[in-house]
């Protein structure tokens, strides 16, 4: 099996998804030889080993991090510290920090493996995307591995499925689906296949109270989160999409409410605009259809779109339940019967599962499959 390698894992982000990920790590990492966590950091402080021979406890990390007086580390400081060891390093970035994302090419070039759900790294500047890809293995034979399954669809195998299709020579013609757990929950309740559904503002309130939306629901209703995911997938199939502003993205925020000073003010004023969404629903129902908020990529037309679309009631997208995501891959091999991936596409636990699964792949890649028997 060759010489055993020491693998050091550095974790950025310890709240929300990060906390769920660390809880999963406490059960996963004991299975692997010579693998240890050496850094846990959040925006205001950090906890790291005094020497590379030490190990951070995954049983007491939360208490230890809270007690730490060490400041947060900049990407450059993290990079410089990594260069003081010959250990294999896996950087797990559970943040949405653009500055850290901008440093990925430098980490990868220095053979640091990057695991992340950070959408901004792959959907912002096209030049950054190209630099990240070109500095990672196998594009750079000496670069670090790159995993970002959870950047689209949380724990659902969207990225890996698309990679498999492309790497095995299939021709992806179209990708379409519901990419937001929030939008799925809203429209499945607002315009159900059976029954009338509630008022739009009431459904937004229910989604907010259930924790499906951001504290300010406008961050979901503007469509940008879905657009970021579409940018990632479009770039993977070879479309040179500059940014989320390069294609139509329908916002469900009434123009009159775009300038609201807070999420609370927005929610107070939203009922006055219920008739607009009710009209959209009723017109679709008159045609025997339901409305859903979807994203689509037409590869041949080089067209990317995000917005409300009508579907027959028997369509797979129309029949979604709860907050499920569904993504259909139309390819040359699969013909008119698309390959469909469906399931929970939001939530800390399932997103952390996607990150954890990527970490396991990374460990096996850099560590040579040395699992404790």
């Amino acid at each position: 099996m060759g010489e055993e390698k020491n693998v050091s894992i550095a974790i950025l982000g310890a709240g929300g998804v990060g906390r769920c990920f660390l809880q999963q790590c406490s059960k996963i990492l004991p299975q692997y030889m010579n693998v240890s966590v050496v850094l846990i950091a959040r925006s205001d402080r950090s906890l790291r080993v005094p020497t590379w021979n030490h190990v951070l406890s995954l049983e007491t990390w939360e208490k230890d991090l809270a007690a730490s007086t060490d400041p947060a580390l900049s990407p450059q400081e993290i990079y410089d510290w990594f260069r003081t060891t010959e250990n294999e390093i896996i950087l797990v970035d559970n943040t949405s920090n653009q500055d850290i994302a901008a440093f990925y090419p430098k980490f990868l070039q220095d053979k640091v493996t990057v695991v992340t759900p950070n959408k901004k790294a792959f959907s912002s500047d096209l030049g950054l995307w190209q630099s990240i890809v070109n500095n990672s293995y196998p594009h750079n034979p000496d670069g670090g591995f790159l995993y970002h399954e959870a950047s689209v669809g949380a724990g659902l195998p969207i990225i890996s499925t698309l990679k498999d299709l492309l790497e095995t020579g299939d021709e992806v013609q179209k990708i379409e689906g519901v990419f937001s757990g929030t939008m799925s929950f809203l429209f499945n309740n607002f315009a159900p296949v059976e029954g009338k559904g509630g008022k739009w503002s009431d459904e937004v309130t229910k989604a907010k109270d259930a924790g499906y939306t951001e504290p300010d629901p406008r961050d979901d209703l503007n469509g940008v989160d879905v657009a970021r995911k579409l940018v990632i997938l479009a770039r993977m199939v070879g479309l040179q999409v500059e940014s989320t502003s390069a294609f139509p993205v329908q916002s469900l925020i009434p123009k009159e409410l775009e300038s609201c000073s807070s999420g609370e003010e927005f929610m107070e004023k939203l009922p006055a605009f219920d008739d607009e969404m009710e009209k959209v629903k009723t017109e679709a129902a008159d045609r025997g259809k339901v409305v859903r908020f979807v994203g689509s990529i037409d590869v041949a037309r080089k067209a990317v779109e995000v917005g409300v679309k009508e579907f027959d009631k028997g369509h797979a997208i129309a029949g979604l339940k709860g907050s499920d995501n569904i993504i259909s891959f139309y390819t040359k091999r699969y013909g008119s019967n698309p390959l469909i991936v469906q399931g929970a596409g939001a939530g800390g636990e399932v997103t952390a599962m996607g990150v954890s699964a990527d970490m396991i792949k990374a460990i096996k890649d850099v560590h040579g499959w040395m699992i404790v028997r």
Side-chain angles (χ1 to χ4, degrees):
M1 293 181 66
E3 183 182 350
E4 294 184 4
K5 299 176 182 178
N6 291 317
V7 180
S8 298
I9 299 177
I11 301 168
L12 308 182
V17 172
R19 178 177 287 105
C20 294
F21 170 74
L22 279 156
Q23 290 170 346
Q24 292 176 20
C25 280
S26 67
K27 298 178 176 64
I28 295 168
L29 292 183
Q31 301 177 71
Y32 295 90
M33 297 166 53
N34 303 328
V35 178
S36 60
V37 174
V38 296
L39 171 69
I40 301 173
R42 64 188 195 197
S43 59
D44 63 344
R45 69 188 65 196
S46 61
L47 177 69
R48 60 172 161 169
V49 291
T51 73
W52 289 97
N53 294 324
H54 286 75
V55 178
L56 295 182
S57 169
L58 290 175
E59 301 300 324
T60 62
W61 72 266
E62 201 157 6
K63 178 185 70 176
D64 297 339
L65 180 60
S68 174
T69 57
D70 292 341
L73 299 171
S74 70
Q76 183 66 55
E77 289 172 323
I78 295 170
Y79 174 82
D80 291 340
W81 183 54
F82 286 169
R83 302 203 80 188
T84 65
T85 182
E86 294 185 359
N87 291 357
E88 298 282 352
I89 297 175
I90 298 173
L91 175 67
V92 181
D93 176 22
N94 288 314
T95 76
S96 59
N97 188 298
Q98 186 68 51
D99 292 336
I100 297 172
F103 233 82
Y104 288 176
K106 198 167 182 179
F107 285 127
L108 291 161
Q109 191 175 40
D110 219 43
K111 212 173 180 179
V112 172
T113 287
V114 174
V115 172
T116 183
N118 188 347
K119 287 187 286 289
K120 291 180 181 177
F122 308 101
S123 63
S124 53
D125 180 68
L126 179 60
L128 175 59
W129 157 269
Q130 293 169 335
S131 184
I132 290 171
V133 171
N134 291 336
N135 281 287
S136 64
Y137 183 87
H139 301 274
N140 174 9
D142 297 318
F145 297 98
L146 173 66
Y147 296 97
H148 60 106
E149 184 72 77
S151 65
V152 179
L156 294 176
I158 306 302
I159 297 290
S160 55
T161 296
L162 182 54
K163 277 186 176 180
D164 288 347
L165 290 169
L166 296 171
E167 290 176 1
T168 58
D170 202 354
E171 180 184 322
V172 178
Q173 299 163 338
K174 182 180 178 181
I175 303 171
E176 183 176 60
V178 174
F179 290 85
S180 164
T182 301
M183 292 300 202
S184 181
F185 182 86
L186 276 173
F187 279 86
N188 294 341
N189 288 283
F190 171 65
V193 172
E194 301 293 338
K196 186 179 178 182
K199 292 181 179 180
W200 177 247
S201 60
D202 289 344
E203 297 303 339
V204 175
T205 299
K206 288 178 188 176
K208 186 175 185 295
D209 291 345
Y212 285 114
T213 73
E214 296 295 329
D216 186 339
R218 287 176 295 179
D219 292 337
D220 296 291
L221 298 178
N222 62 15
V224 174
D225 179 66
V226 174
R228 287 189 182 279
K229 297 170 185 177
L230 268 290
V231 169
I232 296 170
L233 298 180
R235 288 173 174 176
M236 288 181 65
V237 298
L239 302 186
Q240 301 297 297
V241 180
E242 288 290 339
S243 68
T244 56
S245 60
F247 54 90
V249 178
Q250 181 180 0
S251 172
L252 299 184
I253 303 171
K255 290 189 179 298
E256 296 87 342
L257 302 187
E258 288 177 352
S259 59
C260 287
S261 60
S262 67
E264 288 74 18
E265 181 187 353
F266 170 77
M267 292 301 297
E268 287 174 6
K269 294 181 176 180
L270 186 59
F273 298 88
D274 279 345
D275 287 348
E276 295 180 12
M277 289 299 293
E278 192 66 28
K279 181 182 178 183
V280 172
K281 176 171 69 173
T282 301
E283 289 178 351
D286 290 343
R287 289 186 282 271
K289 299 176 183 289
V290 294
V291 287
R292 297 290 182 261
F293 195 85
V294 301
S296 64
I297 301 167
D298 188 316
V299 180
R301 291 175 48 235
K302 298 182 180 179
V304 183
E305 297 178 336
V306 173
V308 176
K309 186 176 177 181
E310 295 182 4
F311 291 91
D312 292 329
K313 292 183 177 181
H315 195 284
I317 287 178
L320 280 182
K321 304 294 183 184
S323 61
D324 274 8
N325 285 186
I326 183 170
I327 292 83
S328 301
F329 295 95
Y330 295 85
T331 76
K332 186 174 182 180
R333 285 187 191 138
Y334 281 84
S336 60
N337 188 26
L339 171 59
I340 294 176
V341 178
Q342 179 178 345
E349 288 290 346
V350 292
T351 302
M353 185 277 289
V355 180
S356 295
D358 274 352
M359 178 190 67
I360 291 170
K361 294 172 188 172
I363 291 171
K364 290 176 178 178
D365 278 333
V366 303
H367 188 47
W369 294 80
M370 286 178 283
I371 303 175
V372 176
R373 299 295 181 186

